[in-house]
Amino acid sequence: MLVLGRKPGEYVLIDNNIMVKVIRSDEGHLRLAIEAPKHISIVRGELWEENNIALRTAKTVDASAI
C-alpha cells in the first residue's frame, strides 16, 4: 500500500489512465474527484464491504443446505 499526502488541487495518476484528485480538505473531511475509463468500476469502500459480507453469508447458507 502506498500512503501519500496531497493538498487540494494535487492528484495522483494510476496506470496513466486513472486520476485521483483532492478537491477539498477541511477538518478531517476529504473530497476526491476520480477520473477513470468507463469500463473501470468505482465503488465506495463501505458498499464493497457490505456486498462481500452478503456474498460470504449467502455462500455459508448455500453450503449448509447441502
Side-chain angles (χ1 to χ4, degrees):
M1 177 185 297
L2 174 64
V3 179
L4 300 171
R6 300 279 78 195
K7 296 177 186 173
E10 296 180 333
Y11 59 91
V12 295
L13 286 174
I14 302 169
D15 199 29
N16 284 330
N17 64 356
I18 301 170
M19 181 177 68
V20 180
K21 183 177 184 178
V22 177
I23 56 173
R24 192 171 81 205
S25 173
D26 46 46
E27 296 187 26
H29 296 282
L30 188 63
R31 302 284 288 185
L32 300 174
I34 303 170
E35 219 176 280
K38 289 189 183 285
H39 71 276
I40 294 179
S41 174
I42 300 173
V43 180
R44 293 190 331 248
E46 65 274 14
L47 295 177
W48 183 82
E49 290 173 5
E50 188 177 294
N51 187 44
N52 280 343
I53 289 169
L55 286 174
R56 280 196 303 261
T57 302
K59 287 180 182 178
T60 301
V61 170
D62 286 346
S64 66
I66 295 175

